[in-house]
Amino acid sequence: MAALVVAKGPRHWHTMSQSEHLVLHPDSSVAVVGTGSIGLLALKETLEYFSSQVPNGSSHVGTGSSVSNRFTGPQLQNLRKRVVGFERAASVGGVWRSSRTPFGNAYDSLHTNSSKLMMQISDFPWSRVEENPDLGTFPSREEVCKYYQGYSDYHHLENFILFHTEVLKVEFKTAGSLPQSPSQAKRYRITYRMHHPSGGSSLHAKEFDIVFCCSGQYSSRSVPNIPGVSSFGAFMCHSHDYRNPDTVLMAAAKQHSHHTATTVLRPKVVVVGVGNSALDIALELCNAGAEVIISYRSPPMIIPVADSNKSPLDVKLLTRFYQQSLPRSIRGAHFFYWLLRDINKAFRAGGLPSVDKRVPGIQVKFSNLKEHELWKRLLKSGHVSFRPHVTQLGARRVGFADQSEVSGVDAIIFCTGYHLEFPYLSKVCLFYCGGFQCA
């Protein structure tokens, strides 16, 4: 049975098969495109299924021995032909790879919004990659990459991954004409390019019964088309390309020929967007001495993921006592009044409008906040302000929807998200997957 499984996001999958349910068979061939968190899990679960089909084999890959040891030499070679992971980068890790590396997009200071305790995989505790880990902390980008690399090593997943390999196209493979429905697809044909360490590349094609599309949604930048962008004349970048404040400060220094990067008193930076990355980057820039103007299209509800001591709230709230012993009314009062009210009140006092939940058709958005106390002090300092969405750009000028304008802007950082794209899916596959954009 042929099946195409598309990961639209961390918790959303779209399965295209004859029965809309994924069914593996002992002789199935499986491809996994992308080796971030979802891709690694898909690859591991596939191998676990195949290991359970081996006579006298275990139903669990992760028992401490290599999955390779569960097969004879010929069986292993056959399995590596039928189960293939495709990764265009040099390592696993997906979105958590540094923006300094090819195909990475994580800024230097990025931390998760979940504690180590809550984000660790059920059969792979954090202690396997870190001695005496503090499970009540937010892991950094480097720690997350180390964790997923450890997960891959532990389950011997790299034996089945082609690195430096870019998938160019996934298309239906049928006996005759193009299928009129997914149920008519016999197999899927993947065309891919392998980039060789010694230089050069080679083009290949291979057929599979099941394809997991796990390449993520953080590669195609979404940047608003703002009139006058070509005349702005100062530093601009998307959060995908942001690394740390140094680049922004150096760009500001170039706007002031009589200053150096260390003597520009207070560079002026507009951060477009008010999501998780926007709040992280805005705080980091303010701490580096910049004046930050945050531009919003619709004000979000600020959700603290840490308490005033920077301790992750998921460790405290997702407990049996909190969830089962406390009455729902008390839990609601504690979370929505004590936790949400305090920080949202601080943001409203700092200039971010209240969320109007009464407007028909408007979906309330949420932004996660880790540095609770730092943000409250920052909002009182006046070094960060809020304006409605950007409508016009000029020579180091930014105009906003309320007709206000800020001049002398040294940099703009677009924290405006990403387009959900799977450019390697053929147009027919895209049609059955719900019509994603095709590059």
Side-chain angles (χ1 to χ4, degrees), residues 3 12 72 79 164 283 303 327 415:
H12 301 90
T72 63
L79 185 63
H164 303 289
L283 178 62
I303 305 292
C415 300

Side-chain angles (χ1 to χ4, degrees), residues 241-376:
D241 307 298
Y242 173 84
R243 294 179 180 177
N244 55 53
D246 293 344
T247 304
V248 180
L249 295 179
M250 289 296 295
K254 292 180 181 180
Q255 305 299 329
H256 305 264
S257 58
H258 57 288
H259 287 304
T260 67
T262 57
T263 59
V264 176
L265 295 181
R266 192 164 292 282
K268 194 177 295 183
V269 182
V270 172
V271 174
V272 181
V274 68
N276 299 346
S277 295
L279 295 177
D280 282 350
I281 292 171
L283 178 62
E284 187 171 63
L285 288 169
C286 284
N287 288 338
E291 176 188 349
V292 176
I293 300 99
I294 297 178
S295 169
Y296 59 88
R297 183 168 290 276
S298 56
M301 178 74 73
I302 305 298
I303 305 292
V305 295
D307 62 17
S308 57
N309 296 318
K310 301 183 183 180
S311 298
L313 289 175
D314 57 15
V315 175
K316 298 181 178 181
L317 302 184
L318 299 179
T319 63
R320 185 172 298 162
F321 170 77
Y322 190 89
Q323 296 294 330
Q324 298 181 9
S325 299
L326 289 180
R328 184 176 181 179
S329 58
I330 295 179
R331 295 200 312 270
H334 172 259
F335 186 77
F336 289 102
Y337 183 81
W338 179 65
L339 294 177
L340 293 189
R341 181 178 181 273
D342 181 48
I343 191 61
N344 279 276
K345 183 179 179 181
F347 269 83
R348 305 317 167 210
L352 184 65
S354 299
V355 177
D356 191 347
K357 293 176 283 188
R358 299 169 299 175
V359 179
I362 298 297
Q363 183 178 4
V364 177
K365 297 181 180 180
F366 300 91
S367 295
N368 293 323
L369 191 73
K370 288 188 284 288
E371 298 286 353
H372 190 101
E373 293 300 319
L374 277 178
W375 261 103
K376 288 203 294 186

